[in-house]
Amino acid sequence: MTENVWAYRGGVDYLAADLTGYGVEAADGSIGKVDKHSDEVSDAYLVVDTGVWILGKEVLLPAGLVTHIDHAAEKVYVDRTKEQIKAAPEFHRDEHLGNADHREALGAHYLSGMPFGVPPA
């Protein structure tokens, strides 16, 4: 069920540049900057440093949430709200980055209650 959320959508130009340092924009505003990213075919994600937004924590965003990337402005846009991102299972890089159970829970969180690829209202 959650595998497709871990791949970039068709048409998203994620290979044009290193995304590290790009700003990340949720549907309702900025959430931080890309600290790490993966462009693996079935395991693509962004680790976002949220800065002061949620007290300096990092969040893991599946690449399937990315709607487009503006390389000129160095911004990545995702189709979830700040509240949806904040409500995701807590992420600790050392503990969760390669953890299949955490990945499954995170994928289920972002896909629950809405069709994949449909922006929130």
Side-chain angles (χ1 to χ4, degrees):
M1 167 179 126
T2 60
E3 282 307 308
N4 60 353
V5 78
W6 297 101
Y8 282 98
R9 299 173 189 192
V12 173
D13 185 15
Y14 61 93
L15 293 175
D18 178 4
L19 302 178
T20 303
Y22 276 35
V24 181
E25 297 289 324
D28 57 352
S30 177
I31 62 165
K33 293 195 177 290
V34 176
D35 188 53
K36 176 180 175 50
H37 71 100
S38 164
D39 57 11
E40 296 296 319
V41 173
S42 63
D43 188 27
Y45 59 82
L46 303 171
V47 175
V48 179
D49 181 347
T50 63
V52 297
W53 174 57
I54 51 176
L55 304 175
K57 292 189 178 184
E58 291 180 324
V59 294
L60 182 65
L61 298 179
L65 302 182
V66 176
T67 58
H68 70 280
I69 299 170
D70 182 338
H71 292 288
E74 296 189 348
K75 291 195 183 235
V76 176
Y77 295 84
V78 298
D79 70 354
R80 296 299 187 265
T81 65
K82 291 168 129 181
E83 195 55 42
Q84 287 170 312
I85 293 166
K86 191 175 183 178
E90 193 166 345
F91 172 70
H92 298 286
R93 186 189 300 231
D94 296 340
E95 206 176 312
H96 296 129
L97 198 53
N99 183 305
D101 290 337
H102 187 265
R103 173 185 155 121
E104 184 67 25
L106 196 61
H109 166 77
Y110 284 117
L111 292 175
S112 67
M114 65 187 69
F116 178 67
V118 176

